[in-house]
Amino acid sequence: MAGAIRAPGELAAARRRITEARGVVILTGAGVSAESGVPTFRDRTGLWARFDPQELATPEAFRRDPEGVWEWYHLRRQAVLACRPNPGHLAIARFLLERRDAVLVTQNVDGLHQLAFETLGSLEPPPDRPVPPAPAGRILELHGNLLRSRCAECGRTEDDASSEPRPGGDRRERVPRCGRCGSLLRPDVVWFGEMLDAATLDEAFRRAAEAEVCLVAGTSALVHPAASVPLATLRGGGLVIEVNPRETPLTPSAGFSFRGPSGRLLPELLRGATAP
Ligand code: OAD
Ligand code: ZN
């Protein structure tokens, strides 16, 4: 039955499918960072239960009230900067280092997947070489990154340090500005009504179509096009494995659906699944 709690043997079977798969795509959502203390969006205590996205996460809201939008994003930045990767992030980072045929597609904007590589380095320094940084090109951020800013006019991106609130002055003057053209900077995240980066999206779908397994963790699978990524794997004849405490619209299509927190289940699923 879709959505049932699986017997322990099912976990071993799913791990074997991951081990044997040629091409693995991991798709993550906000739930993967929940155990790090980052709020999700659509859960009972999620951000969209407490805040109106139309007031905070649309280009119109930014045009109307850039100060208000920035205040909220600065608070989110501060909150995220206080969070650390959890065992789910670490398991994914280890897996990406060991499996060159694996790619991570994430909807998360918190940067914790990238930070997991640094954490790995401090936890388990290998004997003769440092843990490499996040493998280039194998973390596809579909919705941007909260810790980066982008010029609303010329598109130049800047890291978070350069776009802290400017001290003093009135509210308007505190909105960070582009170092090149002086226009307003905005958080480099995708807002409602905006397109995703086409090259990143194409790459995600191409990899998903070729993958024999798509492991989907911590997403409500409600926001497209991200939620369509596993469907590309299914169309290509591949298997979907889901990890989520709750059922989602994807659950009926998943060959395996594990109910529980990703911080516990991802290490179990990915441990040793490092061949071929
Ligand atoms: P949602 O808030 O929609 O869904 C979070 C999912 O995580 C839910 O299905 C929860 O059941 C699950 N969850 C909660 N705790 C978990 C845990 N410990 N382990 C595993 N899963 C857990 O978040 P997303 O699916 O990421 O877009 O939302 C998609 C997009 O909608 C976001 O990227 C964001 C938002 O608007 C943008 O910011 C562009
Ligand atoms: Zn500019």
Side-chain angles (χ1 to χ4, degrees):
M1 182 182 75
I5 296 172
R6 301 289 187 139
E10 296 282 280
L11 215 115
R15 188 193 299 131
R16 197 160 49 243
R17 295 293 297 268
I18 296 170
T19 304
E20 290 168 359
R22 263 170 304 176
V24 176
V25 167
I26 303 178
L27 172 69
T28 61
V32 161
S33 295
E35 290 153 87
S36 293
V38 182
T40 61
F41 293 94
R42 293 174 184 77
D43 289 307
R44 204 169 37 84
T45 55
L47 291 176
W48 297 156
R50 292 181 282 142
F51 300 97
D52 179 359
Q54 295 307 319
E55 298 293 326
L56 297 164
T58 65
E60 294 74 26
F62 186 69
R63 270 198 295 277
R64 204 166 49 232
D65 181 18
E67 303 87 350
V69 168
W70 261 118
E71 271 166 25
W72 191 68
Y73 277 94
H74 279 306
L75 288 178
R76 277 185 69 197
R77 272 185 181 175
Q78 297 312 317
V80 156
L81 286 171
C83 295
R84 292 289 158 260
N86 67 54
H89 296 110
L90 298 179
I92 292 173
R94 270 190 210 102
F95 186 75
L96 288 180
L97 288 175
E98 290 168 16
R99 284 284 293 262
R100 292 182 179 281
D101 63 334
V103 66
L104 171 66
V105 179
T106 187
Q107 300 165 83
N108 296 349
V109 296
D110 56 30
L112 288 178
H113 282 301
Q114 289 84 344
L115 196 58
F117 290 89
E118 287 174 32
T119 308
L120 271 191
S122 59
L123 281 182
E124 39 190 70
D128 50 358
R129 62 189 166 82
V131 169
R138 291 204 286 128
I139 300 184
L140 305 176
E141 290 182 314
L142 291 183
H143 293 164
N145 193 309
L146 182 61
L147 302 178
R148 211 170 42 226
S149 305
R150 186 175 84 236
C151 176
E153 293 301 322
C154 77
R156 178 183 134 126
T157 54
E158 302 195 0
D159 66 23
D160 64 312
S162 56
S163 55
E164 285 305 296
R166 288 141 57 104
D170 63 17
R171 274 178 97 225
R172 183 105 204 170
E173 282 173 15
R174 289 205 295 271
V175 174
R177 288 185 174 270
C178 174
R180 181 161 66 197
C181 77
S183 305
L184 296 187
L185 287 178
R186 54 166 282 179
D188 192 13
V189 298
V190 177
W191 283 329
F192 288 97
E194 293 186 314
M195 306 285 279
L196 280 62
D197 177 71
T200 309
L201 195 60
D202 284 353
E203 177 70 359
F205 276 98
R206 189 181 68 76
R207 298 293 295 252
E210 290 171 356
E212 288 186 347
V213 167
C214 183
L215 172 60
V216 183
T219 177
S220 58
L222 289 170
V223 176
H224 293 268
S228 303
V229 167
L231 307 183
T233 303
L234 288 175
R235 274 196 300 276
L239 171 75
V240 169
I241 300 173
E242 183 180 56
V243 171
N244 198 307
R246 294 163 171 255
E247 283 197 25
T248 75
L250 192 63
T251 304
S253 314
F256 295 88
S257 190
F258 297 102
R259 295 277 153 273
S262 51
R264 175 168 63 77
L265 287 171
L266 286 177
E268 289 184 27
L269 268 172
L270 296 175
R271 184 181 311 125
T274 51

